[in-house]
Amino acid sequence: DAGVTQSPTHLIKTRGQQVTLRCSPKSGHDTVSWYQQALGQGPQFIFQYYEEEERQRGNFPDRFSGHQFPNYSSELNVNALLLGDSALYLCASSFFRDPVYEQYFGPGTRLTVT
Amino acid sequence: QKEVEQDPGPLSVPEGAIVSLNCTYSNSAFQYFMWYRQYSRKGPELLMYTYSSGNKEDGRFTAQVDKSSKYISLFIRDSQPSDSATYLCAMVLYSSASKIIFGSGTRLSIRP
């Protein structure tokens, strides 16, 4: 059973450009969350998608947007890239195992903005 | 002030030692507490979660929560070189919440 997969592994973009990152959740998981992890920091919650809708959002600007497809896979889009957007972007898929959501993380996409 | 504070380390101990990793938090509304392990160039991996004050044990790992002090700990017994990783504490406000608040992580190195 494949775990959470993300593509691409690494990406280099120029300031002002746009980027799309992709995530396939673990089999049987219908909820996808995205996190940004800066070097030496813990992951920060960007947003979560369930049933193709954004269900919850963290403190990130509108430049960060996402989408979930009927097969539960998801995309993260970032517009007008800034140098500060350089980070590891993690996707996590989850299911509810009483009493908590168990989240499983992918390996991440390393984004470098120059 | 950050919601979750965690000493970044690095922490280096000899193989076989007992390791203690700690976090403090400021929001008393946090109800569920987790520990993740993150190897270099990998995503975080859930180790344990707990939701009540007290201890929870799983093999060589023990998670401890003290809600009155807003303090959580992870103990690793008989530490192995394969335990070398960054350990992240994390918490959520209520059981059905999916937004996880992470600490900044403690980098742990176990010396053979």
Side-chain angles (χ1 to χ4, degrees):
Chain A
D1 173 31
V4 180
T5 60
Q6 293 186 243
S7 63
T9 305
H10 296 91
L11 205 51
I12 300 175
K13 289 286 188 178
T14 302
R15 192 171 47 183
Q17 286 188 317
Q18 179 264 343
V19 68
T20 297
L21 310 182
R22 296 176 176 82
C23 171
S24 290
K26 190 175 170 63
S27 177
H29 290 190
D30 57 7
T31 304
V32 173
S33 302
W34 287 91
Y35 290 79
Q36 180 194 66
Q37 186 175 24
L39 197 62
Q41 299 297 315
Q44 283 200 301
F45 179 79
I46 302 175
F47 43 53
Q48 182 187 77
Y49 278 83
Y50 173 70
E51 293 189 339
E52 302 180 50
E53 290 194 0
E54 184 181 293
R55 180 161 70 174
Q56 199 171 6
R57 189 178 183 94
N59 295 326
F60 278 81
D62 292 344
R63 298 187 297 109
F64 290 77
S65 64
H67 189 77
Q68 185 179 34
F69 300 94
N71 67 353
Y72 307 127
S73 67
S74 177
E75 289 182 349
L76 165 65
N77 300 292
V78 187
N79 294 322
L81 284 167
L82 303 174
L83 296 179
D85 295 332
S86 296
L88 179 68
Y89 288 85
L90 295 161
C91 169
S93 70
S94 57
F95 73 101
F96 188 70
R97 187 200 294 271
D98 196 20
V100 297
Y101 274 96
E102 290 194 7
Q103 296 206 18
Y104 293 81
F105 284 83
T109 293
R110 173 75 60 189
L111 172 65
T112 302
V113 182
T114 62
Chain B
Q1 182 190 10
K2 289 184 179 179
E3 285 188 282
V4 181
E5 298 278 0
Q6 185 174 8
D7 187 336
L11 180 62
S12 179
V13 301
E15 183 176 354
I18 296 175
V19 176
S20 172
L21 304 167
N22 310 295
C23 286
T24 59
Y25 60 96
S26 57
N27 190 344
S28 58
F30 283 126
Q31 294 189 13
Y32 291 84
F33 306 89
M34 292 157 284
W35 285 95
Y36 283 81
R37 177 175 63 195
Q38 186 173 23
Y39 291 114
S40 181
R41 301 180 186 278
K42 301 285 188 181
E45 170 194 11
L46 178 64
L47 283 175
M48 299 179 68
Y49 69 83
T50 183
Y51 55 91
S52 59
S53 285
N55 295 349
K56 180 178 180 180
E57 191 173 315
D58 185 359
R60 295 186 296 112
F61 299 90
T62 298
Q64 188 175 80
V65 175
D66 182 345
K67 289 188 177 180
S68 62
S69 302
K70 301 193 191 71
Y71 190 88
I72 67 171
S73 300
L74 178 71
F75 298 95
I76 307 175
R77 291 184 301 279
D78 188 25
S79 56
Q80 305 293 313
S82 58
D83 295 327
S84 298
T86 295
Y87 289 79
L88 298 153
C89 64
M91 44 203 78
V92 294
L93 289 173
Y94 51 91
S95 64
S96 61
S98 45
K99 175 184 175 180
I100 302 175
I101 308 298
F102 284 90
S104 57
T106 298
R107 191 151 53 95
L108 173 66
S109 176
I110 308 297
R111 306 189 303 271

